[in-house]
Amino acid sequence: MTMLITFALAVAVVADALWLRLLAALVAGGAWLYKRRPRRLPARRRPDLRAALEKGALDLRYQPIVDLTDGRTAGVEALPRWHHPGLGWVGPAELLRMAAEAGLTPLLGAWVLDRSCRQLASWLADGRDLWISVHAEPAELESVLYVAGVAAALTTHRVPAARLVVEVTGPGDSRRVTSQLAGLRALGVRVALGGTDLGPSTMRQLRRLSVDLVKGSGAATAVVVTLGRRLGYEVVAEGIGTAEALTAAKAAGCRYGQGEALGRAAPAEHVEPLLGYAPPSRRAG
């Protein structure tokens, strides 16, 4: 009987420990217990995404990019979202992956570029002073028509090229991609390198590619800033979610910052109160 009681007590202690661990995991966001698997777009649903793109039924949100030297909103990043009746809201990362699986990356990129330039043209006409950043996948940059498409969007919406930033992540070593980035800069469009992890391939890219901005986060930010001073690019500290992270980004010497501590991605009308006006002499571009 004594052994049974001892065993029962031991089981109770273990159960209590597991329950406390489970509770702690839930409070911390469930990372220990559950990691959400990326959603995939079933093949039968891929026509839904094409139809949404063709009808312009997606949504763009804009996240502020703040000049850390004076606190003004210098630019915004355009982030697409899609509301699907069965899947609910699909965020930017999932949407990019789904578009790639469906072979719709160029169509999604063209839609984001057009809508971003249209919104930027409206803001500039209102006297606002900012630039806009759009993401380009390496698959888009492999097309010889990409630079021509960007030029056409700028012309259609009468947006000065210097007001557009094209951000690329992991462009690889393709000569065509390198040529396309050079073509964008020849137009006057600025190029940003995102997802900087300071691996050997990234270090080669920073020396090989002509970029204007580089995004860095966490402990790597200070190194990216040091390289920026040598190679001539500005640094955007991304993922700033706390006041401490903001202080660290400023101390590292980052010119710009982006993250929830500085402003969440929001519809255009919600971002507008954060946008400043350009002096009359600068309103032409």
Side-chain angles (χ1 to χ4, degrees):
M1 180 64 69
T2 302
M3 291 181 63
L4 286 175
I5 294 174
T6 302
F7 177 75
L9 289 173
V11 170
V13 169
V14 171
D16 285 345
L18 288 173
W19 171 248
L20 289 173
R21 189 179 179 190
L22 172 61
L23 183 61
L26 291 173
V27 171
W32 170 78
L33 175 68
Y34 173 71
K35 185 176 181 179
R36 176 179 169 181
R37 293 182 178 180
R39 292 183 294 179
R40 303 180 69 89
L41 187 65
R44 68 180 186 279
R45 295 295 186 188
R46 290 175 184 175
D48 297 348
L49 180 53
R50 177 179 289 276
L53 285 166
E54 291 174 346
K55 295 177 182 177
L58 275 67
D59 179 48
L60 269 188
R61 298 294 172 94
Y62 304 90
Q63 185 168 35
I65 299 172
V66 175
D67 189 327
L68 299 183
T69 64
D70 58 16
R72 70 182 181 87
T73 299
V76 295
E77 181 177 359
L79 299 168
R81 302 200 315 164
W82 177 36
H83 188 268
H84 186 274
L87 298 173
W89 280 108
V90 178
E94 283 188 318
L95 185 54
L96 283 172
R97 184 174 58 254
M98 290 178 180
E101 292 171 350
L104 297 173
T105 297
L107 190 59
L108 174 61
W111 182 86
V112 172
L113 176 65
D114 180 76
R115 290 301 178 94
S116 298
C117 286
R118 187 171 74 177
Q119 180 60 64
L120 180 58
S122 175
W123 279 330
L124 294 178
D126 193 35
R128 306 287 183 165
D129 185 18
L130 78 158
W131 39 268
I132 199 164
S133 175
V134 299
H135 184 83
E137 288 289 297
E140 296 175 76
L141 295 168
E142 287 287 350
S143 170
V144 295
L145 300 177
Y146 183 76
V147 173
V150 171
L154 294 172
T155 301
T156 298
H157 298 288
R158 300 181 180 181
V159 170
R163 297 285 187 165
L164 177 65
V165 174
V166 173
E167 179 185 337
V168 295
T169 303
D173 297 319
S174 167
R175 291 184 179 180
R176 179 173 291 176
V177 170
T178 302
S179 175
Q180 294 287 71
L181 295 180
L184 289 173
R185 298 189 85 226
L187 287 177
V189 173
R190 290 185 292 166
V191 173
L193 180 63
T196 308
D197 58 6
L198 293 183
S201 62
T202 301
M203 300 297 283
R204 287 196 302 271
Q205 289 168 0
L206 287 174
R207 290 179 170 84
R208 177 175 53 85
L209 299 175
S210 295
V211 300
D212 303 280
L213 298 162
V214 174
K215 286 190 169 183
S217 60
T221 304
V223 181
V224 175
V225 171
T226 300
L227 284 173
R229 293 188 181 123
R230 290 169 50 193
L231 300 178
Y233 58 75
E234 297 283 5
V235 176
V236 181
E238 62 180 346
I240 298 178
T242 64
E244 291 76 13
L246 177 58
T247 299
K250 290 180 178 179
C254 294
R255 173 68 186 276
Y256 302 107
Q258 181 179 3
E260 292 199 354
L262 295 169
R264 294 185 176 185
E269 61 270 20
H270 294 170
V271 173
E272 284 174 0
L274 303 176
L275 306 179
Y277 288 91
S281 60
R282 292 182 54 193
R283 292 190 183 183

